[in-house]
Each structure stands twice: as structure tokens, then as C-alpha cells.
Amino acid sequence: MNAILPFAVNFALACFALAMLCALIRLLRGPSAQDRILALDTLYINGMLTILMLGIGLGSALYFDIALLIALFGFVGSTAMAKFLLRGEVIEP
Amino acid sequence: MIAADVPLWAALPAAALLICGGLLTLVGSLGLLRLDSFFARIHAPTMGGTLGAGCVLMASMLVSTALAQRPVFHELLITLFILITAPVTTMLLMRAAVSRQRN
Amino acid sequence: MKRPLLLPLLPVVLALVWLLLNDSLSVGHLLLGIAFALLVTVAVRPLRPLPAWPRRLHLAIGLIWHVFVDIVRSNLGVGRVILGATRRQPTVGFVRIPLQLSDPHGLAMLSIIITGTPGTVWAGHDPADNILTLHVLDLQDEEAWVRTIKDRYERPLMEIFE
């Protein structure tokens, strides 16, 4: 009926794709390990937003659960890596 | 795209929020490339993680409320989760960077 | 330390999260959510050594509003810094702020507020003399940051948690 929402969805998808590209370049180039972890952290948040975007565009509620799972696992992953960088050990006795 | 069936009262604010959120996230990730020290770069992705994600999730809430024709709030969960967890990673990274710089 | 029993916050929040997750208000989910919330509350009790007793929860509304306004404002500020980075790189710096807040839950809230706002990151806290190290993206006026943190966030948090 109205074309404004599909346009906005495509626009935001393009933005997130570019943002993920920026994070990817930093991930590959990053001089230090903490730069790469920061890039991965950005990458999972952008990926989660992209999935949500698809959910809006296709009008399906299934994508919500996928986004929630990405948010959960992304957090656990990047926190474990940051902790490893800090102490050299993820789970301390 | 099914998004074309959303009534105008929800489509207009949702489109505005999506465009804002997309631009904010893009600028935040661009900061990863344009700033030249790690301590400056660590601040950049917080933009996409707070207001960028907030805008997109609000738009998602509006659209699913309009499509289901009853209030749908469950995107609030992701917003809260991101708001609570994103700072934890940033803080750990900051401390790791400080301690690695020292030795 | 004995504090007056208010509302058991954890099970209530957990039950609400269950209902939100399933996006339904049916009797079955209500009962299941309450059962899960009570079970989890009992199960995690050994993991949480000291319970939080936030008082004066109505003050939190004003604090949340302040934080929201600051997040929007500093998003715009950080965006400006990033887009102007070809001309001028920001001057990063650490600020040391002596705190009066000593409640662990209050400090946790403060760290999430500070790190969640773009442009500032919590860089460490020394429990011995209660000094917070703050990392700022574009450090111009050190005094202004000390004032902002103390007046806008620390005081309401102290009133809520202590």
C-alpha cells in the first residue's frame, strides 16, 4: 500500500551491511588483540540488528527469537575473549 | 515485502526510527575505522549499541503491534539485555587494554 | 544487617520476563512463570551473597529519564567527533573522581550508566579509597565531568540504595 516502510527497511539494511563491513576491516587490520575483539563485538550487534530488520521486512515473529539468541551468545563470546585478554584464563578456580 | 501492508500510522514513525537507527549504527561503526587509537575507538560502537539498537527495536515493536493488532512488547527484552550486557564487555576490554599497555 | 522487607524484586521481574518472552497473558503461562521465578530465586540464592534493597524506587524514574537524555545527547556528540575525525582527532584522557557512593549495587548501576553512555567508559575503581577512574573520548573540561557524574548520577543512586 505505501512504499515508505520497505524503503526504510532497505535503507537500514544497507546501513547495517556497511557498518558490518567497517567492523570486518577493523577485525582484519586491527593492530592489537583488543581491537579485534571490539570489532567482533560490533559485528554481532550489527548482525543481530540485521536479523531484526529482516523480521520487520518479512513480517515474521520468528526472527525475534533468532535475534535474542544472537544477543545471548554474542555477549558470552565477546566477554569470554575480553576476560581471556585480561587474565589469560576465562574461568578462574 | 510484507512490510507494505503496515498501516500508515505505524509505518511513518517506524520508517523514521529505522533510518535514524541505521545512520547511528553506521556512524558508530565508521568510528572504528576513522579514529586512530584504541582508546578512542572503544567509544565508537557504544553508539550503535545504545541508541541505534533502541531505535530499531522500537520500530520493530511498532510494526509487530500493527501487524498483530494487539500490543506486542517482547522486543523490550532484547533492548534491556543489550543495555545491560554491552557495557560489561566494554569495561572488560578497557581494563584489558589498560593492563596490557602497562606491561 | 536487617532491612525492612519490601517487595521481593527478583521473582517478580523473572515472572514478568517469562510472560514477555512468551508474549502471552494466559493462565497457564502465568502459573508456569511464577513457578519458574520462585524456583530460580531459590536456586540462585547461594550465588548472590548480598541481596539488594533499593528504597525510594520512584526516584529511579527521574534517573532513567536523565540517562535517556544523556544517551541521546552524547550519541550526537560522539557522532560529531567521528565525522570530524579527519580534521581533528579527539583528545582522549582519564579523569579520577572521588566517590561517596559505596553500596556495591549502586556502584554496579553507576558503571553500567557511565559505560552505556557513549563517550565515557568506566576504566576502574579502587575500593580502598573509593576513587573511580573514568575514560573520556573528548576531554576538554575535567571539572565539568566530575560535576556531571556526581550531581546527575551519584546523588540519585545514593538516595536509592543507601
Side-chain angles (χ1 to χ4, degrees), chain A residues 26 34-35 46 53 58 64, chain B residues 2 18 25 32 41 100:
Chain A
R26 180 50 73 192
Q34 54 264 37
D35 272 307
N46 287 341
M53 215 72 253
L58 301 174
F64 163 79
Chain B
I2 301 174
L18 285 183
T25 314
L32 280 180
R41 282 197 286 268
R100 278 165 70 99

Side-chain angles (χ1 to χ4, degrees), chain B residues 14-64:
Chain B
L17 282 170
L18 285 183
I19 289 174
C20 281
L23 284 177
L24 280 170
T25 314
L26 180 58
V27 171
S29 301
L30 209 60
L32 280 180
L33 290 184
R34 296 185 64 144
L35 301 172
D36 55 37
S37 77
F38 172 76
F39 286 102
R41 282 197 286 268
I42 197 170
H43 296 283
T46 321
M47 275 180 74
T50 55
L51 205 56
C55 283
V56 171
L57 287 158
M58 199 101 87
S60 172
M61 223 162 3
L62 264 174
V63 170
S64 45

